[in-house]
Amino acid sequence: KAGVTQTPRYLIKTRGQQVTLSCSPISGHRSVSWYQQTPGQGLQFLFEYFSETQRNKGNFPGRFSGRQFSNSRSEMNVSTLELGDSALYLCASSSIPGKYNEKLFFGSGTQLSVL
Amino acid sequence: AQKITQTQPGMFVQEKEAVTLDCTYDTSDPSYGLFWYKQPSSGEMIFLIYQGSYDQQNATEGRYSLNFQKARKSANLVISASQLGDSAMYFCAMREGDSSYKLIFGSGTRLLVRP
């Protein structure tokens, strides 16, 4: 069974540009969540999608957005990039959302560098 | 207050020896799940082991075991017979309650296995 697939693996952008990251969850998983990892802030929750609906969002500005498609694949978009957006963006999938004992499985992440 | 505390920023262990990585947590919810993830330099977050708040026995997964002390709110990861490939960052994480939608991560422990 294939794991969580994130593309691209690396991205280099300049300030002011926008970027789109993609995530394909484990087959059969319908919940996708996104996390940002930086050396200073650690791992922080961005948002969660289930059945094409955003269920929850973390404390990030509106420049960060996402969506989920009918096949459960998800994309996240960051507009007007800032230097501080440089981070590893991790996508996680699970079969159902909202249960404390539901395991999340992560992809390898997309390393975004903003110059 | 931090919900997940990992007090060991870095640790060394000799190959083939056992090592314990500490994790304490804080929650008032009776239903919660505790997770350990391994993150090698490649960036992928690899699920290692899970312990539920109602589980009577400590979780084990191969060389990984979780020393769960509920009253002390600790969930330490024990790696037996360390291997060079165990060198990585290790994160303790928690999900709370039946409406949980995100993992709360600790700051991580960097483990280096010496040959």
Side-chain angles (χ1 to χ4, degrees), chain A:
Chain A
K1 201 174 193 182
V4 179
T5 304
Q6 291 188 246
T7 56
R9 186 72 180 89
Y10 300 96
L11 267 177
I12 300 175
K13 294 285 186 179
T14 56
R15 278 181 299 173
Q17 287 187 311
Q18 73 155 18
V19 67
T20 300
L21 314 182
S22 178
C23 172
S24 293
I26 291 171
S27 177
H29 284 191
R30 296 169 59 198
S31 176
V32 174
S33 50
W34 290 86
Y35 289 78
Q36 182 197 62
Q37 185 178 22
T38 60
Q41 299 297 318
L43 284 143
Q44 294 184 286
F45 170 78
L46 278 158
F47 24 64
E48 181 203 28
Y49 289 88
F50 179 73
S51 293
E52 303 177 63
T53 302
Q54 184 182 93
R55 286 165 35 94
N56 294 287
K57 185 171 182 181
N59 189 25
F60 280 82
R63 301 185 296 106
F64 291 81
S65 63
R67 58 179 176 168
Q68 186 180 34
F69 303 94
S70 58
N71 62 357
S72 295
R73 190 177 70 86
S74 176
E75 289 181 347
M76 68 163 280
N77 185 76
V78 188
S79 63
T80 319
L81 284 166
E82 300 178 359
L83 296 178
D85 298 334
S86 295
L88 179 66
Y89 291 87
L90 290 159
C91 168
S93 80
S94 64
S95 55
I96 54 172
K99 300 297 289 183
Y100 69 90
N101 57 355
E102 184 69 15
K103 301 176 183 67
L104 266 66
F105 296 92
F106 287 82
S108 298
T110 294
Q111 183 67 54
L112 172 65
S113 298
V114 182
L115 306 179

Side-chain angles (χ1 to χ4, degrees), chain B residues 11-54:
Chain B
M11 288 191 70
F12 290 95
V13 64
Q14 207 65 33
E15 193 179 8
K16 299 180 184 175
E17 291 185 349
V19 62
T20 298
L21 307 184
D22 295 341
C23 173
T24 57
Y25 60 92
D26 183 30
T27 181
S28 57
D29 200 308
S31 304
Y32 54 90
L34 297 158
F35 303 79
W36 277 92
Y37 286 87
K38 171 185 177 182
Q39 188 177 43
S41 56
S42 61
E44 182 182 5
M45 295 285 281
I46 302 168
F47 167 75
L48 295 178
I49 196 166
Y50 162 81
Q51 180 84 44
S53 58
Y54 298 111

